[in-house]
């Protein structure tokens, strides 16, 4: 439900948040507030100073005397309270006046001299699930309702801290700055009634930080933009054949020798800082260590673990140079993996419940050069690969991490995977249907629609010995043209072709940015606004490419720019100022 009015309400700079807590039995309706009366017309009490904590839970009161809230509730309130203060600071600092969305010489702003109604307080009512009952399977932990009345009273209802963060982001997007006063923030949409929840649980971005340098400060700015768009997973493709920038304290030479330069190493503190920051704003940051392919950078520190390193012609042994893969029939590799993952898993587990173990683009020719295998036959390699993955999956399970893997290990290699495994599809839309048909949970994000690096052109230079190779001739295309503009991203229907009986296995998806031609300098423009288009599909389901979507995304782009994100254009300003003028 999304209902907007046409009255103006202003936000007080001193507005405060008030918490109420209501226990909900697990058998109650999917959105517990449906059984409650909507916010009445009576104004709430105004707090002159600190935040007030109110509870309707009998466990929190005794003879009318307040008992301190549980540590978990206080922590949740702290997260939401911090988000509320960030919201206010952002609204009053970004100074977003929506000139571009109105015709020339039109006075679209409310009068600054008329009497004003201010929002002084936002009540956040938490319908938390009783601890002694199992949560109902239909309750969306990210659902929220938001109501803003013409008298300035405001209420948000949630079942989790995640819902509270989403509600505050939606609240932010209702408000604008006034051109005649930087301290004046208003919404022209009162009364507002919104009841909202996501279609997909897993709503993510996959970002390659191995092939070119991405600074942690740029990751945190990306996390802020992701949170504003209600994304909840950042998948860091942390290592690859070209570079190993991730510090592993138990194996220090991996990054010392495998990174392009010591200045480009992600320290353990860097990783922890990024994961902590993501968690504080509702995003799980999880890692991928791609195995056993895409591992040539390990050769710089442990050459005995890698087969077919930097062999020419490289395209016979790898998808990209340099070639080189972990050996499959090696006790030394098994010991290395145990040390590597026993170092990483405990460090990431406090911030993430997932870990990606790769599995894509395994080159069979490389194993014909491995003296302990001496074969490129899938029949020979499959049991070795199964044993390899049995080991790393067992380590993930030992640390209570849900493993993810690329589609090839199921669809091409037919490996047996733990039931908890989430299979990430990428090659084509049909891969999703193939995975869920086999009973596995899956993520979508096909290269045909959601690969943001596609269409930039090839990174390969012409080889004089191959004058007829069309890959390095005009138009110098890459492997996956065309460029995935925001309309193509938005037009993707992830559930097309998925039988009704299998749709529950589609956990969500990720939009991808591989790093061959992207570093921190161009990061924002490569991501935004296209990631925002994917985010709407992940939250609402397939959208329709039409003028309303263009205007929504264009406004999101302007808000991101106001926050310091270098997002690309969505639409020409004339079209935004003249609705209907650019239809064709």
């Amino acid at each position: 439900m999304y209902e907007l009015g046409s009255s103006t309400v202003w936000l007080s700079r001193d507005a405060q948040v008030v918490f109420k807590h209501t226990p909900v039995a697990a058998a109650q309706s999917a959105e517990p507030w449906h059984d409650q009366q909507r916010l009445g017309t009576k104004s709430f009490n105004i707090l002159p100073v600190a935040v007030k904590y109110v509870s309707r839970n009998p466990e929190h009161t005794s003879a009318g005397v307040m008992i301190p809230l549980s540590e978990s509730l206080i922590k949740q309130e702290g997260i939401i309270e911090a988000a509320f203060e960030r919201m206010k600071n952002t609204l009053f600092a970004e100074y977003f006046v929506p000139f571009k969305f109105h015709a020339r010489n039109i006075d679209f702003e409310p009068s600054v001299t008329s009497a004003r109604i201010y929002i002084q307080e936002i009540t956040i009512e938490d319908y938390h699930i009783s601890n002694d009952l199992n949560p109902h399977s239909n309750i969306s932990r990210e659902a929220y309702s938001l109501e803003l009345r013409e008298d300035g009273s405001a209420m948000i209802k949630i079942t989790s801290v995640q819902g509270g963060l989403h509600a505050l982001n939606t609240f932010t997007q209702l408000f604008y700055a006034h051109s005649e006063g930087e301290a004046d923030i208003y919404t022209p949409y009162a009364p507002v009634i919104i009841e909202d929840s996501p279609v997909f649980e897993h709503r993510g971005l996959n970002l390659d930080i191995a092939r070119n340098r991405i600074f942690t400060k740029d990751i945190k700015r990306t996390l802020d933009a992701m949170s504003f768009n209600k994304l909840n997973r950042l998948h860091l493709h942390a290592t690859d054949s070209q570079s190993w920038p991730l510090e592993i304290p138990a194996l220090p030479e991996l990054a010392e020798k495998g990174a392009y330069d010591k200045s480009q190493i992600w320290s353990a503190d860097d990783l922890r800082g990024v994961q902590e920051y993501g968690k504080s704003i509702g995003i799980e940051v999880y890692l991928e260590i791609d195995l056993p392919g895409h591992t040539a950078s390990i050769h710089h520190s442990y050459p005995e673990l890698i087969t077919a390193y930097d062999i020419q012609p490289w395209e016979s042994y790898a998808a990209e140079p340099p070639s080189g893969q972990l050996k499959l029939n090696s006790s030394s590799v098994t010991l290395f993996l145990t040390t590597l993952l026993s170092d990483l898993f405990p460090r990431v587990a406090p911030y993430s419940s997932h870990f990606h173990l790769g599995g894509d683009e395994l080159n069979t020719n490389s194993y014909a050069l491995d003296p302990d295998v001496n074969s490129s036959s899938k029949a020979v390699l499959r049991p070795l690969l199964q044993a390899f993955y049995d080991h790393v999956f067992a380590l993930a399970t030992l640390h209570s991490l849900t493993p993810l893997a690329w589609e090839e290990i199921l669809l091409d290699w037919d490996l047996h995977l733990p039931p908890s495994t989430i299979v990430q599809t990428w090659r084509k839309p049909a891969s999703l249907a193939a995975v869920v048909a086999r009973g596995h949970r899956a993520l979508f994000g096909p290269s045909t629609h959601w690969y943001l690096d596609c269409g930039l052109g090839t990174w390969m230079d012409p080889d004089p010995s191959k004058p007829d190779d069309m890959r390095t001739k005009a138009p110098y295309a890459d492997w996956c043209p065309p460029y995935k503009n925001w309309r193509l991203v938005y037009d993707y229907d992830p559930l097309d072709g998925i039988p009704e009986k299998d749709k529950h296995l589609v956990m969500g998806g990720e939009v991808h940015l591989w790093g061959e031609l992207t570093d921190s300098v161009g990061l924002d423009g490569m991501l935004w606004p296209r990631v925002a288009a994917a985010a709407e599909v992940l939250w609402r389901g397939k959208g329709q490419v039409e003028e309303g979507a263009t205007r929504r995304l264009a406004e999101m782009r302007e808000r991101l720019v106001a926050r310091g994100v270098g997002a690309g254009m969505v639409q020409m300003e004339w079209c935004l100022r003249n609705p209907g003028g650019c239809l064709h």
Side-chain angles (χ1 to χ4, degrees):
M1 179 185 296
Y2 196 86
E3 298 177 1
L4 303 180
S6 57
S7 297
T8 298
V9 175
W10 302 77
L11 180 64
S12 170
R13 186 179 288 272
D14 298 320
Q16 298 179 3
V17 63
V18 175
F19 294 96
K20 294 182 179 180
H21 300 286
T22 302
V24 177
Q28 194 165 325
S29 64
E31 293 174 345
W33 49 78
H34 282 166
D35 299 327
Q36 307 292 323
Q37 290 186 345
R38 280 215 178 99
L39 178 65
T41 57
K42 182 179 178 181
S43 298
F44 289 93
N45 293 329
I46 306 302
L47 292 177
V49 283
V51 174
K52 176 173 63 179
Y53 299 93
V54 181
S55 176
R56 294 180 182 174
N57 189 339
E59 296 176 358
H60 297 159
T61 61
S62 178
V65 178
M66 287 294 297
I67 296 175
L69 300 181
S70 70
E71 183 178 346
S72 63
L73 285 175
I74 293 173
K75 184 176 181 180
Q76 291 176 16
E77 289 174 354
I79 293 173
I80 294 175
E81 187 179 2
F84 177 76
E85 291 303 318
R86 284 197 306 271
M87 179 200 76
K88 284 200 304 179
N89 292 337
T90 296
L91 281 171
F92 287 102
E94 69 182 7
Y95 193 60
F96 172 49
V97 179
F99 289 114
K100 291 184 178 181
F101 299 88
H102 300 275
R104 290 185 179 95
N105 304 316
I106 295 294
D107 185 10
F108 61 88
E109 296 179 296
S111 170
V112 294
T113 59
S114 301
R116 302 183 185 182
I117 297 174
Y118 279 96
I119 301 167
Q120 299 285 0
E121 178 179 291
I122 299 176
T123 299
I124 298 181
E125 188 158 7
D126 178 6
Y127 289 79
H128 64 276
I129 307 302
S130 301
N131 292 333
D132 58 336
L133 297 172
N134 292 324
H136 190 275
S137 60
N138 290 326
I139 289 179
S140 170
R141 299 293 291 161
E142 297 183 86
Y144 68 91
S145 74
L146 188 160
E147 188 164 0
L148 171 60
R149 299 191 66 86
E150 293 164 292
D151 65 358
S153 51
M155 176 174 281
I156 289 170
K157 296 179 181 180
I158 60 176
T159 62
S160 72
V161 67
Q162 289 82 8
L165 296 175
H166 297 324
L168 290 174
N169 279 321
T170 295
F171 190 86
T172 302
Q173 294 167 36
L174 298 171
F175 286 83
Y176 304 98
H178 199 290
S179 61
E180 295 186 26
E182 294 187 14
D184 297 313
I185 303 297
Y186 71 95
T187 178
Y189 301 127
V192 175
I193 298 175
I194 297 173
E195 293 179 358
D196 201 10
S197 61
V199 171
F200 295 107
E201 174 186 336
H202 187 119
R203 305 182 305 281
L205 165 66
N206 170 28
L207 186 59
D208 178 0
I209 63 170
R211 289 184 173 92
N212 280 305
R213 185 176 191 176
I214 305 290
F215 290 98
T216 56
K217 65 180 179 64
D218 300 307
I219 299 294
K220 291 179 179 179
R221 185 178 65 256
T222 299
L223 285 166
D224 284 333
M226 290 175 64
S227 177
F228 196 43
N229 283 272
K230 299 185 178 69
L231 294 169
N232 64 356
R233 302 283 194 277
L234 177 59
H235 165 185
L236 291 179
H237 181 84
T239 61
D240 214 293
S241 289
Q242 294 79 15
S243 160
W244 186 291
L246 191 66
E247 180 189 29
I248 306 297
L251 300 165
E253 290 190 345
L254 268 177
E256 290 173 1
K257 296 182 177 180
Y260 289 131
D261 184 84
K262 289 185 178 181
S263 67
Q264 298 189 25
I265 292 175
W266 272 55
S267 70
D269 287 341
D270 290 334
L271 176 60
R272 181 171 60 251
V274 166
Q275 290 192 298
E276 284 179 346
Y277 187 75
K279 187 174 183 178
S280 74
I281 59 174
I283 299 176
E284 177 186 338
V285 180
Y286 74 96
L287 292 186
E288 177 189 355
I289 302 295
D290 206 347
L291 303 168
H294 292 271
T295 50
S297 57
I298 295 173
H299 180 272
H300 300 292
S301 50
Y302 299 96
E304 70 279 7
L305 304 181
I306 299 296
T307 184
Y309 177 72
D310 200 19
I311 301 296
Q312 298 297 330
W314 60 262
E315 56 263 40
S316 296
Y317 297 93
E320 293 180 0
S323 63
Q325 298 178 162
L326 280 170
K327 295 178 178 179
L328 289 183
N329 193 22
S330 167
S331 59
S332 297
V333 168
T334 302
L335 179 60
F336 167 81
L337 291 171
T338 302
T339 304
L340 168 67
L341 299 178
S342 297
D343 177 298
L344 260 179
F345 287 168
R347 289 195 285 118
V348 301
Y351 312 104
S352 171
S353 60
H354 299 84
F355 199 95
H356 203 304
L357 292 163
D360 64 319
E361 298 181 324
L362 189 64
N363 186 285
T364 58
N365 292 337
S366 295
Y367 294 108
L369 304 182
D370 180 354
D372 294 324
V373 176
N374 198 31
S375 176
S376 61
S377 166
K378 277 195 170 184
V380 173
L381 296 176
R382 185 186 178 280
L384 298 176
L385 189 62
Q386 182 71 66
F388 182 99
Y389 269 103
D390 285 346
H391 179 62
V392 296
F393 284 147
L395 289 171
T397 301
L398 183 64
H399 291 87
S400 301
L401 292 170
T402 297
L404 292 92
W406 294 107
E407 63 176 77
E408 289 96 317
I409 67 169
L410 180 69
L411 299 182
D412 293 1
W413 290 92
D414 195 29
L415 297 191
H416 174 72
L417 309 179
S420 62
T421 307
I422 298 173
V423 178
Q424 185 159 27
T425 64
W426 66 275
R427 291 181 293 186
K428 54 187 177 181
S431 296
L432 183 65
V435 169
V436 296
R438 298 181 63 168
H440 280 283
R441 295 185 296 165
L443 301 179
F444 53 80
S447 59
T448 54
H449 291 75
W450 280 21
Y451 265 39
L452 303 185
D453 53 298
C454 289
L456 296 181
T458 185
W459 44 265
M460 294 185 288
D461 288 319
D463 183 343
S465 68
K466 301 175 182 178
D468 298 324
D469 192 334
M470 296 305 298
R471 294 175 299 174
T472 52
K473 289 185 179 294
Y476 304 99
D478 54 33
W479 70 275
C480 53
Y483 179 82
K484 316 310 181 197
N485 62 68
W486 75 259
R487 288 181 176 86
L488 183 59
V489 171
Y490 190 70
D491 193 51
Y492 172 55
D493 182 359
L495 296 180
D496 182 34
I498 306 298
E500 194 66 35
K501 66 180 180 63
D502 293 333
K503 288 182 179 179
H504 69 286
L505 295 170
V506 180
M507 306 303 295
E510 294 180 350
V511 61
H512 306 266
L513 181 58
W514 299 106
E516 287 88 347
L517 295 176
T518 299
D519 63 7
S520 274
V521 176
L523 180 64
D524 286 359
M526 287 295 295
L527 292 175
W528 309 100
R530 294 183 292 165
V531 172
E536 186 164 315
V537 174
L538 287 162
W539 184 269
R540 300 175 61 176
K542 182 189 181 299
Q544 181 178 355
V545 177
E546 42 83 32
E547 189 176 32
T550 300
R551 296 182 69 82
R552 282 197 308 276
L553 191 62
E555 181 170 318
M556 172 57 73
R557 185 261 179 181
E558 297 302 316
R559 291 185 182 275
L560 290 173
V561 170
R563 293 176 171 217
V565 176
M569 291 292 295
V570 171
Q571 180 60 291
M572 179 167 56
E573 184 170 341
W574 189 92
C575 301
L576 297 176
R577 287 183 177 270
N578 296 273
C582 293
L583 302 181
H584 183 71

